[in-house]
């Protein structure tokens, strides 16, 4: 059985299914990326490109993410959407890492 077939056999509870459906409905670009990705790598690249496009034109967000700008003043320029973008990029950067 392929890894995809194994994942298809994993059942999630109803609440999780509804939350996933809501997430994809609220983020049509994410839905498209997930549907078109042939594997995990394509999905990660697609999400990364989508998020980078979202923060394009916001150098303070990119600088904070890349840690080229630090400090309270830079942090206070961020909006809630910026926190989410940075968090997603951080998750992608560390995908597959195992920690004890």
């Amino acid at each position: 059985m392929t890894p995809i077939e194994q994942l298809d056999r994993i059942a999630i509870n109803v609440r999780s299914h509804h939350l996933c459906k809501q997430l994809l409905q609220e983020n049509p670009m994410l839905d498209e990326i997930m549907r078109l990705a042939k594997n995990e790598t394509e999905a990660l690249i697609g999400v990364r490109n989508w998020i980078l496009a979202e923060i394009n034109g916001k150098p303070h967000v990119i600088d904070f993410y890349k840690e080229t700008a630090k400090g309270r003043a830079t942090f206070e320029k961020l909006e809630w959407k910026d926190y989410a973008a940075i968090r997603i990029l951080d998750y992608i950067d560390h995908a597959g890492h195992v920690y004890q």
Side-chain angles (χ1 to χ4, degrees):
M1 186 179 303
T2 68
I4 298 295
E5 290 170 335
Q6 289 174 342
L7 287 173
D8 284 342
R9 297 180 62 95
I10 297 172
I12 61 173
N13 65 37
V14 174
R15 184 170 188 275
S16 296
H17 179 76
H18 286 299
L19 288 172
C20 184
K21 189 175 176 181
Q22 180 180 354
L23 174 70
L24 296 174
Q25 285 174 339
E26 291 175 0
N27 298 281
M29 186 59 141
L30 178 61
D31 184 44
E32 182 179 341
I33 291 166
M34 293 296 121
R35 290 185 192 283
L36 297 178
K38 293 182 179 93
N39 54 48
E40 178 184 353
T41 302
E42 283 188 12
L44 290 173
I45 291 169
V47 172
R48 174 183 288 287
N49 291 339
W50 170 47
I51 297 301
L52 289 174
E54 288 290 317
I55 63 174
N56 188 29
K58 293 182 166 187
H60 63 285
V61 178
I62 296 168
D63 290 343
F64 193 84
Y65 161 64
K66 291 183 177 180
E67 297 182 358
T68 56
K70 298 180 182 182
R72 187 75 182 176
T74 304
F75 176 77
E76 288 180 357
K77 291 179 186 177
L78 300 176
E79 299 174 3
W80 284 107
K81 232 178 150 177
D82 303 331
Y83 299 135
I86 292 167
R87 184 86 183 246
I88 290 168
L89 291 172
D90 189 57
Y91 282 141
I92 292 169
D93 290 344
H94 297 93
H97 293 190
V98 177
Y99 303 95
Q100 290 191 1

